Amino acid sequence: MKFDLEATLRFSKDAELLEKELHGIIEEFNRDLKEKFGDAKISDWSLSRDQLDIAIVSETRRRSHDILLQFRNILSKKLGKKYKIGVRGIDVRKYEISFDLEREPLRDVTIPFADVKIEGRKVRMRLKETGEDFLSRNYIDRMVKLVREKVENQYYEGKKEFWKLIWKSEEKVPVWDKDPTEEMLRRGWIVQGPTKGKWFYRPQAAAILRAMERIAIEEVLKPLGFQEVIESHIVPFDVWLKTGHLEGMPGEIYYVCEPRTRDILEWERFVDLVKITREVPEDELRKNISLPSAGICYAQCPVIYWSLKGKTIAEESLPLLIYDRTAISGRYESGGRHGIERVDEFHRIEPVYIGKPEQLIELRDKLIERYKHVFNNILDLEWRMAWVTPWYLQQAGKVEEEGYGEGVIGTMDFEAYLPYRGERESSKWLEFQNLSILGDKYIKSFNIKTQKGELWSGCSGIGLERWTAAFLAQKGLEPENWPDGFRRYLDRLPEGIKIL
Amino acid sequence: MKFDLEATLRFSKDAELLEKELHGIIEEFNRDLKEKFGDAKISDWSLSRDQLDIAIVSETRRRSHDILLQFRNILSKKLGKKYKIGVRGIDVRKYEISFDLEREPLRDVTIPFADVKIEGRKVRMRLKETGEDFLSRNYIDRMVKLVREKVENQYYEGKKEFWKLIWKSEEKVPVWDKDPTEEMLRRGWIVQGPTKGKWFYRPQAAAILRAMERIAIEEVLKPLGFQEVIESHIVPFDVWLKTGHLEGMPGEIYYVCEPRTRDILEWERFVDLVKITREVPEDELRKNISLPSAGICYAQCPVIYWSLKGKTIAEESLPLLIYDRTAISGRYESGGRHGIERVDEFHRIEPVYIGKPEQLIELRDKLIERYKHVFNNILDLEWRMAWVTPWYLQQAGKVEEEGYGEGVIGTMDFEAYLPYRGERESSKWLEFQNLSILGDKYIKSFNIKTQKGELWSGCSGIGLERWTAAFLAQKGLEPENWPDGFRRYLDRLPEGIKIL
């Protein structure tokens, strides 16, 4: 990598008399640089009245812009004290960063703040934004990383997600092959929700979701010692900046705005217009609300990690086993909504586990055992487990890095056969559950510690709608066809609401 | 009331030759008006080339602007057919509405779309907005209503809410006089949430909230035959336009924006900037999200009513007894937040009941009996019940209208003594529960019907945080000090998370 920079420093007065002095300062500065970092230096300079033009080249981890800022400080100090001359400002005339890619891009790449030219595997990134404030932040390296990432992503796109079968149940004869959502709608067990991709569950459907919840708690979480927590379902951006959700899926988030004020006078015109027109006055609304700085829960684990930010968990609390079943998840789906299984709003239990690597590996096996018990003995499902690698691990290249061998860090999907979608072999199965071990990714992001040794974390998303969809698709809507294991939790449906 | 209007109708060509014809049409029109409505007429007119100036005065329920629009239609029809002359447009030159108030305003009143002048009890409202589209909507009467309402509100402001004691428990000796929130924070049972006015409940506190939930379900809702439903916690504006929340408390709502698109290309610059700057780029965010058309649940009943909109409930399902305990409530509090009892986000169970008036009156008594059982025998609280009248009934004057006698339509508050706030007599007690019968207010708004007869509805807000705050403030945090009734639901606290 090469950082090639040209800048002009403006002094507070004519400094031509100090040329010799400057010569000495620059020589010393270069010597120092070489010693500490190697191939980096002020490669050229010239003084004219109150302007000092310099060129800086670095091929080291000490970037040219950092060298420039450091040089400015040294200059200010040395000239200021002795000659009362200050450095008034810096103009960067050119800043070009060259580096090599692992492989040739398939298409052009653009990023903010720079022009990017790529020939073969060689990148020349010329900065358009060179203000001092800009240079003093840690942006340049992230820009380089972003170029690399965009090229790598060109190779990923269109590739199927990694998928490897781990286990599969025996085939089971389904009770029917209808879409349970359609049939529940027909029977009035569910009603389309008031906004896109939401449902209103009437008593019969609500009872089934709640039975699933009790099963997850009684058969999986309690036996393993998980404790319940209750988290906020409104997640501020700073939490998602740490987890990566804001860069990963900003187009899937339901954003939350606060009112700018509660002051009734500020809202008077809004209220008047609502009362007169029975419509919402958009301009008044826009005026009276803030830009979002938070969104509705996407998954529950970020806020759980956040609640432990910077904390040291006592060893005796490890592995820490907690779950939230309160925060409601919102995901903007636009297209692709279907039934109760692909929706904008759903209800999940999310167990999160934090512990030593070996504790989590052991826990993972116990969790799988409990889940198997539920899906085989209670719900009596036809299902399978597959090893998959989600975006957030794939991109970070975490999977291979960790050294605990393949099949430790990563995610398992639990998939159920949906008879209404067609043949077992050719139809898409429903991912109705997952289980991840994430290594130290979030532990580091939130700076969570313990007394000694490494900490890992993981989580497992239990989607009540997904469990219900899988179960009803295979077992139908009549309690008498349901397996005994499930009927121990829900034997009889509530009466419901009779609508004429 | 007097509606005084002057307008010019523009014909498609010179119509002076038709003066006589016009005379006849207007005479007939006026005759017709008088017959149907009484004191309303075209009081003056004059024709000049292609312009017809008219004055309309009405003191009847047939408003002058409606008369104008009707006259235009008749004219178009009569002249169009015979003379091929059309009415090209209408300019309203003056529209003034005069009416009397019940009492003199205490201050000036302004409303959108009109200049309002009040002398004594006499109002003159001169319209500023007189486009045909504007006049053809039902705005004018709402504007008159708004002026009246604003004057009435001037008398309400600063007045205390109506409050009448109905019942009170015996005094009980509190275990302590500490603020339980402070003490739970100290012990690490709760953590301040990631955004204002939210909490993160660690296992001990979560267990107490969940015990309250089980008590409400097992001791109140199940014995009375309530069925659970699960509703969306995202409420579109059209629901709140019907319930009045958007005019009642727009400054307390957490608004929800959808992404304008999920398209990854549209979000590319946003994502790039997040990756480079580790901040959220406000302009890109603004560009990529929609103006809110929904908000987070404020109370659960509106969506329950919505789910029955336009439906006819079978008599055998009456009284319909349902509850939601899933939607999380958000209320923007700005100031006044305190502890777990005055927060921006809380967890409620909301039973809603719909039935014949006599069914609801009977149910109300049964509900009170069950609540008494819980607060006396299980939580062993010092508490009281008071008759109060909430804004939405007060303003509508519903309380007196109904004819079922005082103390039927309206709201009861359940209040608990909080020892940490000071002496019983002088401190503010906590409203930890309420119960309302609302008459046909929401039934009508959502056009809910049954086979025959009148329907009423009501609801009762069970706030888990409020129950918990009342209980812990009186009984402390040590299970050994808790009453046996409660210990049957929660005997031992979970271990929690040990933080160093």
Side-chain angles (χ1 to χ4, degrees):
Chain A
M1 261 168 117
K2 195 174 161 200
F3 296 82
D4 196 347
L5 184 148
E6 292 172 20
T8 300
L9 287 78
R10 279 174 287 105
F11 292 120
S12 56
K13 47 190 169 194
D14 193 318
E16 287 205 352
L17 289 175
L18 299 177
E19 178 136 19
K20 213 166 160 193
E21 187 90 23
L22 263 173
H23 190 84
I25 293 174
I26 290 173
E27 284 227 318
E28 190 192 336
F29 183 79
N30 272 344
R31 230 178 1 254
D32 219 49
L33 264 180
K34 187 164 191 180
E35 217 164 86
K36 280 198 200 131
F37 301 102
D39 210 357
K41 65 178 172 197
I42 295 178
S43 58
D44 198 7
W45 64 276
S46 70
L47 180 67
S48 153
R49 303 177 64 97
D50 62 345
Q51 298 210 338
L52 173 66
D53 292 342
I54 61 172
I56 302 175
V57 180
S58 167
E59 298 190 25
T60 72
R61 69 188 161 86
R62 186 70 175 168
R63 302 344 193 171
S64 294
H65 59 279
D66 290 328
I67 295 172
L68 173 67
L69 298 176
Q70 190 201 0
F71 179 66
R72 194 268 317 270
N73 290 344
I74 285 177
L75 218 52
S76 296
K77 218 155 98 186
K78 299 214 165 172
L79 301 185
K81 221 184 280 178
K82 208 157 157 190
Y83 306 100
K84 309 284 177 224
I85 289 183
V87 179
R88 274 263 178 82
I90 302 178
D91 301 312
V92 172
R93 286 172 286 116
K94 175 193 160 191
Y95 193 14
E96 193 171 279
I97 295 144
S98 322
F99 56 97
D100 289 350
L101 297 168
E102 307 256 310
R103 40 188 170 179
E104 282 189 33
L106 306 174
R107 294 187 301 283
D108 280 350
V109 164
T110 60
I111 64 163
F113 309 131
D115 285 321
V116 176
K117 291 240 173 354
I118 310 184
E119 277 166 32
R121 297 195 298 110
K122 297 218 169 299
V123 182
R124 270 173 33 228
M125 188 173 97
R126 184 162 183 147
L127 264 72
K128 294 186 286 188
E129 177 78 47
T130 53
E132 202 178 326
D133 189 48
F134 183 89
L135 295 177
S136 68
R137 294 166 190 237
N138 193 19
Y139 291 173
I140 313 284
D141 282 295
R142 294 195 200 125
M143 288 163 70
V144 172
K145 190 174 159 218
L146 183 57
V147 171
R148 293 189 190 285
E149 209 178 276
K150 286 195 167 191
V151 173
E152 279 309 296
N153 280 347
Q154 293 177 350
Y155 285 88
Y156 267 112
E157 276 162 25
K159 260 201 195 172
K160 272 209 274 187
E161 199 178 53
F162 175 81
W163 189 95
K164 198 173 104 191
L165 186 69
I166 301 173
W167 183 92
K168 103 181 188 193
S169 76
E170 63 200 287
E171 287 192 7
K172 296 192 177 162
V173 183
V175 164
W176 68 341
D177 63 357
K178 295 271 185 302
D179 181 343
T181 300
E182 294 301 320
E183 184 59 18
M184 286 197 288
L185 265 170
R186 214 182 53 74
R187 294 186 186 193
W189 293 10
I190 56 176
V191 180
Q192 289 267 15
T195 58
K196 280 174 296 184
K198 327 283 187 310
W199 292 98
F200 185 97
Y201 298 92
R202 292 232 179 104
Q204 299 91 336
I208 299 171
L209 286 179
R210 288 294 178 202
M212 294 300 173
E213 187 181 50
R214 286 198 307 280
I215 291 169
I217 293 170
E218 297 299 329
E219 305 284 346
V220 180
L221 300 172
K222 273 196 189 162
L224 295 177
F226 277 85
Q227 304 183 80
E228 183 176 3
V229 297
I230 296 179
E231 67 171 55
S232 173
H233 79 308
I234 296 179
V235 185
F237 289 166
D238 58 343
V239 169
W240 280 335
L241 282 171
K242 285 195 198 304
T243 57
H245 283 81
L246 270 185
E247 57 199 66
M249 55 275 295
E252 295 176 37
I253 287 173
Y254 274 91
Y255 292 91
V256 175
C257 313
E258 293 177 4
R260 261 190 228 288
T261 173
R262 263 185 67 151
D263 182 355
I264 215 117
L265 283 178
E266 299 279 337
W267 283 95
E268 186 174 352
R269 194 173 157 80
F270 176 92
V271 170
D272 286 353
L273 290 170
V274 167
K275 284 184 177 172
I276 294 172
T277 66
R278 312 307 301 154
E279 283 168 16
V280 176
E282 297 201 344
D283 290 342
E284 284 298 311
L285 178 63
R286 198 175 283 115
K287 221 177 68 192
N288 277 326
I289 57 173
S290 308
L291 193 67
S293 59
I296 289 176
C297 172
Y298 185 92
Q300 289 122 301
C301 59
V303 171
I304 290 182
Y305 290 118
W306 166 87
S307 79
L308 295 165
K309 190 175 76 158
K311 297 277 186 286
T312 303
I313 305 170
E315 295 233 326
E316 60 181 282
S317 276
L318 297 180
L320 180 64
L321 307 177
I322 50 186
Y323 70 95
D324 174 84
R325 62 176 172 116
T326 302
I328 301 165
S329 297
R331 297 187 189 173
Y332 186 71
E333 285 286 350
S334 69
R337 294 182 186 102
H338 185 271
I340 63 165
E341 62 264 28
R342 180 85 185 260
V343 285
D344 280 38
E345 180 185 55
F346 48 93
H347 303 86
R348 297 160 95 231
I349 308 177
E350 184 154 24
V352 170
Y353 23 95
I354 295 175
K356 304 293 173 74
E358 55 283 7
Q359 289 175 325
L360 292 209
I361 292 168
E362 193 190 326
L363 173 75
R364 201 249 317 260
D365 294 340
K366 284 192 203 159
L367 264 171
I368 291 174
E369 187 192 308
R370 299 308 305 174
Y371 284 136
K372 270 191 178 165
H373 162 64
V374 168
F375 304 142
N376 292 338
N377 307 334
I378 295 178
L379 302 184
D380 187 33
L381 293 178
E382 179 171 345
W383 66 291
R384 65 193 181 197
M385 272 192 291
W387 189 250
V388 295
T389 312
W391 61 270
Y392 46 91
L393 293 178
Q394 229 167 11
Q395 285 201 337
K398 276 278 172 196
V399 191
E400 299 107 52
E401 266 172 34
E402 290 293 336
Y404 277 83
E406 220 190 326
V408 172
I409 304 277
T411 296
M412 259 171 241
D413 274 358
F414 296 63
E415 304 177 340
Y417 172 48
L418 299 186
Y420 80 83
R421 286 190 184 167
E423 291 301 314
R424 275 182 185 79
E425 297 70 25
S426 55
S427 73
K428 195 168 159 37
W429 289 34
L430 179 70
E431 188 220 313
F432 68 105
Q433 160 85 35
N434 63 35
L435 190 164
S436 297
I437 294 193
L438 302 166
D440 62 5
K441 179 179 161 60
Y442 291 134
I443 294 296
K444 284 212 166 132
S445 305
F446 290 93
N447 189 26
I448 302 169
K449 295 161 295 225
T450 183
Q451 280 144 301
K452 56 176 194 284
E454 195 185 4
L455 273 187
W456 275 11
S457 78
C459 58
S460 178
I462 302 176
L464 300 184
E465 277 88 351
R466 293 277 173 103
W467 279 31
T468 301
F471 179 73
L472 297 179
Q474 292 187 20
K475 305 298 177 190
L477 302 187
E478 307 305 334
E480 62 267 29
N481 294 331
W482 292 347
D484 291 340
F486 185 77
R487 295 189 70 173
R488 282 206 313 277
Y489 282 90
L490 185 68
D491 191 37
R492 222 164 42 86
L493 287 171
E495 254 178 57
I497 306 170
K498 200 167 167 207
I499 303 283
L500 296 180
Chain B
M1 261 167 114
K2 195 174 160 199
F3 295 81
D4 196 347
L5 184 149
E6 292 172 20
T8 301
L9 286 80
R10 280 175 286 105
F11 292 120
S12 56
K13 49 189 168 194
D14 193 319
E16 287 205 351
L17 288 174
L18 299 178
E19 179 137 16
K20 212 168 160 191
E21 187 90 22
L22 265 172
H23 190 82
I25 294 175
I26 290 173
E27 285 228 315
E28 190 192 336
F29 184 79
N30 272 344
R31 228 175 5 250
D32 218 48
L33 264 180
K34 189 165 190 183
E35 215 165 88
K36 280 197 200 133
F37 302 101
D39 210 359
K41 65 179 172 196
I42 295 176
S43 57
D44 197 9
W45 63 278
S46 71
L47 179 66
S48 155
R49 302 177 65 97
D50 62 346
Q51 298 210 339
L52 173 65
D53 291 344
I54 60 173
I56 303 175
V57 180
S58 167
E59 299 190 23
T60 70
R61 68 188 161 83
R62 185 72 175 169
R63 301 345 193 171
S64 294
H65 60 277
D66 289 329
I67 296 173
L68 172 67
L69 298 177
Q70 190 201 359
F71 179 65
R72 194 268 317 269
N73 291 345
I74 286 177
L75 218 52
S76 295
K77 220 155 96 186
K78 299 215 167 173
L79 302 185
K81 221 185 278 175
K82 208 158 158 191
Y83 305 101
K84 308 284 176 225
I85 290 183
V87 180
R88 273 262 179 82
I90 302 178
D91 300 312
V92 173
R93 285 172 286 117
K94 175 195 161 191
Y95 193 14
E96 193 172 280
I97 295 145
S98 323
F99 55 97
D100 289 351
L101 297 169
E102 307 257 310
R103 40 188 171 180
E104 281 189 34
L106 306 173
R107 294 186 302 283
D108 279 350
V109 164
T110 60
I111 64 162
F113 309 132
D115 285 321
V116 176
K117 292 240 172 352
I118 310 184
E119 277 164 32
R121 297 195 297 110
K122 297 218 167 299
V123 182
R124 271 175 30 229
M125 187 173 99
R126 184 161 183 147
L127 263 72
K128 294 187 286 187
E129 177 79 46
T130 54
E132 202 179 326
D133 189 47
F134 184 88
L135 294 177
S136 67
R137 293 165 192 237
N138 193 18
Y139 290 175
I140 312 284
D141 282 296
R142 293 194 200 125
M143 288 164 70
V144 171
K145 192 174 159 217
L146 183 56
V147 171
R148 293 189 190 283
E149 209 179 277
K150 285 194 168 193
V151 173
E152 280 309 297
N153 281 346
Q154 294 176 350
Y155 285 88
Y156 267 112
E157 275 162 26
K159 261 201 196 171
K160 273 209 274 186
E161 199 178 53
F162 175 81
W163 189 93
K164 198 172 105 191
L165 185 69
I166 301 173
W167 182 92
K168 103 182 187 193
S169 76
E170 63 200 288
E171 287 192 8
K172 297 196 174 158
V173 183
V175 164
W176 68 342
D177 62 358
K178 295 271 185 302
D179 181 342
T181 300
E182 294 301 320
E183 184 59 19
M184 286 197 287
L185 265 169
R186 214 183 52 74
R187 294 187 186 193
W189 293 11
I190 56 176
V191 180
Q192 289 268 16
T195 58
K196 280 174 296 185
K198 327 283 187 309
W199 291 98
F200 185 96
Y201 298 90
R202 291 232 180 103
Q204 299 91 336
I208 300 171
L209 285 179
R210 287 294 179 201
M212 295 298 174
E213 186 182 52
R214 285 198 309 279
I215 291 169
I217 294 170
E218 298 299 329
E219 305 285 346
V220 180
L221 300 173
K222 273 196 190 163
L224 295 177
F226 277 85
Q227 304 184 79
E228 183 177 3
V229 298
I230 296 178
E231 68 171 54
S232 173
H233 79 306
I234 296 179
V235 185
F237 289 166
D238 58 343
V239 169
W240 281 335
L241 283 171
K242 284 195 198 304
T243 57
H245 283 81
L246 270 184
E247 57 199 67
M249 54 277 294
E252 295 177 39
I253 287 172
Y254 274 90
Y255 292 91
V256 176
C257 313
E258 293 178 3
R260 261 190 228 288
T261 172
R262 265 186 65 151
D263 182 354
I264 215 117
L265 283 177
E266 299 280 336
W267 283 94
E268 186 174 351
R269 193 172 158 82
F270 176 93
V271 170
D272 285 353
L273 289 171
V274 167
K275 285 184 177 172
I276 293 172
T277 66
R278 311 307 300 154
E279 282 168 15
V280 176
E282 297 201 344
D283 289 341
E284 284 299 311
L285 179 62
R286 197 174 284 118
K287 221 177 67 190
N288 277 325
I289 58 174
S290 308
L291 193 67
S293 59
I296 289 176
C297 173
Y298 185 92
Q300 289 123 299
C301 60
V303 171
I304 290 183
Y305 290 117
W306 166 87
S307 79
L308 295 165
K309 190 175 77 158
K311 296 278 187 285
T312 303
I313 305 170
E315 294 234 325
E316 60 181 282
S317 276
L318 297 180
L320 180 62
L321 307 177
I322 51 185
Y323 70 95
D324 174 84
R325 61 177 173 114
T326 303
I328 301 164
S329 297
R331 296 187 190 175
Y332 186 70
E333 285 286 350
S334 67
R337 294 182 185 102
H338 185 271
I340 63 165
E341 62 265 28
R342 180 86 185 258
V343 285
D344 280 38
E345 180 185 56
F346 48 92
H347 304 86
R348 300 161 93 231
I349 307 177
E350 184 155 25
V352 171
Y353 24 95
I354 295 175
K356 305 293 173 75
E358 55 282 6
Q359 290 175 325
L360 291 209
I361 291 167
E362 192 190 326
L363 174 75
R364 201 248 318 261
D365 294 339
K366 286 192 203 160
L367 265 171
I368 291 175
E369 185 193 308
R370 298 308 305 174
Y371 284 135
K372 271 191 175 164
H373 161 65
V374 167
F375 303 142
N376 292 337
N377 307 334
I378 295 178
L379 303 183
D380 187 33
L381 293 179
E382 180 171 345
W383 66 289
R384 65 191 181 198
M385 272 192 291
W387 190 251
V388 296
T389 311
W391 62 271
Y392 45 90
L393 292 178
Q394 230 166 10
Q395 285 200 338
K398 276 278 173 196
V399 191
E400 299 109 51
E401 266 172 34
E402 290 293 336
Y404 277 83
E406 220 189 328
V408 172
I409 304 278
T411 297
M412 258 171 243
D413 273 359
F414 296 63
E415 303 177 341
Y417 172 47
L418 299 186
Y420 80 83
R421 286 190 185 167
E423 291 303 314
R424 274 182 185 79
E425 296 70 24
S426 55
S427 72
K428 196 168 157 37
W429 289 34
L430 179 70
E431 189 221 314
F432 69 104
Q433 162 84 37
N434 63 34
L435 190 164
S436 298
I437 293 193
L438 302 166
D440 62 6
K441 179 178 160 61
Y442 292 134
I443 294 295
K444 285 213 167 131
S445 305
F446 289 93
N447 188 26
I448 302 169
K449 295 162 296 224
T450 183
Q451 279 144 299
K452 57 175 191 287
E454 196 185 4
L455 273 187
W456 275 11
S457 77
C459 58
S460 177
I462 301 174
L464 300 184
E465 278 87 352
R466 294 278 173 103
W467 280 31
T468 301
F471 179 73
L472 298 179
Q474 293 187 20
K475 306 298 177 190
L477 302 187
E478 306 305 334
E480 61 266 30
N481 294 330
W482 292 346
D484 291 341
F486 185 78
R487 296 188 70 173
R488 282 206 313 277
Y489 282 91
L490 185 68
D491 192 39
R492 223 164 41 86
L493 287 170
E495 255 178 56
I497 306 171
K498 200 166 166 207
I499 304 283
L500 295 180

